[in-house]
Amino acid sequence: NAGVTQTPKFRILKIGQSMTLQCTQDMNHNYMYWYRQDPGMGLKLIYYSVGAGITDKGEVPNGYNVSRSTTEDFPLRLELAAPSQTSVYFCASRGGEGSRGGVGKRAEAFFGQGTRLTVV
Amino acid sequence: AQSVTQPDIHITVSEGASLELRCNYSYGATPYLFWYVQSPGQGLQLLLKYFSGDTLVQGIKGFEAEFKRSQSSFNLRKPSVHWSDAAEYFCAVGANTGTASKLTFGTGTRLQVTL
């Protein structure tokens, strides 16, 4: 059971560089999310998607972009890395409306192991 | 807008003592509520969830939580804490449909367990 897979696990970027954080899930979930986690701040939602071709901004979208061309994949793009984007990034997915399983199962979110990004 | 407040940033308990972590939420309808645990350097693992029915829910690792609509609370409890429970705990609120499909997390409570 792969669940939610994020790559890479660690990355160091220089200011102004770009990169894509990869996220893929094999549970046929409709909903996918990107969060960033900073010490003492909990998890802040960057972007989310309720299905292929549909994305929307969360609380902290500036400096990021996403796409959702397939159900499985939800990559997060940083175009011009800045020190303020140093963080741990988590991808998550859940079934949501229209997916299989009972109500509780559709509501449960599954998380990847995270990507620790440092911008210097 | 939905929101979650975890008023305790850091809690220390002795091994074997009971534990209660507080969570208050703001949501316009009946929410889905979750507790997640995060060990250092790890992702988030679901402890338990509430979406309807019995307001006292049981989770993994001996944890339970009680949904109290009148108090907008979903506090996490454990009768006897083990040293391995030391971790960060997050409460989250969400819904299952439409624009309310976002999951909103609290800022977390770090649990330290003394021997």
Side-chain angles (χ1 to χ4, degrees):
Chain A
N1 291 335
V4 179
T5 303
Q6 289 183 238
T7 56
K9 287 187 170 52
F10 304 94
R11 183 73 184 268
I12 298 175
L13 278 183
K14 293 184 178 179
I15 294 172
Q17 286 185 319
S18 62
M19 77 165 293
T20 299
L21 281 67
Q22 301 292 346
C23 175
T24 187
Q25 51 93 7
D26 62 359
M27 297 171 281
N28 201 33
H29 283 170
N30 293 323
Y31 297 171
M32 295 188 75
Y33 307 84
W34 274 106
Y35 290 90
R36 59 176 288 171
Q37 183 181 29
D38 302 299
M41 302 296 289
L43 281 81
K44 297 293 186 184
L45 182 64
I46 305 171
Y47 272 95
Y48 69 105
S49 168
V50 299
I54 306 169
T55 62
D56 206 350
K57 296 177 180 179
E59 300 172 79
V60 290
N62 292 344
Y64 307 94
N65 279 299
V66 294
S67 60
R68 184 96 181 269
S69 57
T70 67
T71 299
E72 295 78 19
D73 300 307
F74 190 42
L76 178 71
R77 179 86 177 159
L78 283 71
E79 291 293 350
L80 291 171
S84 61
Q85 293 177 306
T86 293
S87 188
V88 181
Y89 292 83
F90 287 100
C91 178
S93 75
R94 61 178 176 142
E97 186 178 6
S99 68
R100 290 183 182 179
V103 170
K105 198 63 180 174
R106 296 200 301 269
E108 178 181 344
F110 294 83
F111 283 79
Q113 289 298 299
T115 296
R116 185 174 295 274
L117 175 67
T118 302
V119 181
V120 297
Chain B
Q2 59 198 56
S3 65
V4 176
T5 301
Q6 293 180 248
D8 304 306
I9 296 172
H10 186 213
I11 284 183
T12 300
V13 298
S14 300
E15 188 174 39
S18 63
L19 171 71
E20 183 169 29
L21 302 182
R22 296 183 290 167
C23 172
N24 293 97
Y25 69 89
S26 173
Y27 188 69
T30 300
Y32 289 168
L33 293 160
F34 309 85
W35 274 100
Y36 284 86
V37 60
Q38 184 183 33
S39 298
Q42 300 297 310
L44 278 76
Q45 180 185 21
L46 181 70
L47 283 176
L48 47 78
K49 60 188 179 233
Y50 169 81
F51 51 94
S52 67
D54 194 345
T55 56
L56 183 64
V57 294
Q58 303 296 323
I60 62 171
K61 304 184 180 185
F63 285 93
E64 65 178 28
E66 186 171 11
F67 170 58
K68 293 185 177 180
R69 185 189 302 274
S70 62
Q71 299 176 17
S72 298
S73 70
F74 189 57
N75 295 348
L76 181 72
R77 301 194 294 250
K78 186 169 185 178
S80 177
V81 169
H82 188 263
W83 63 266
S84 60
D85 293 324
E88 189 146 23
Y89 292 80
F90 292 94
C91 182
V93 63
N96 208 33
T97 61
T99 58
S101 57
K102 294 180 287 186
L103 276 178
T104 300
F105 285 81
T107 51
T109 297
R110 182 167 297 279
L111 174 65
Q112 184 176 357
V113 180
T114 57
L115 300 176

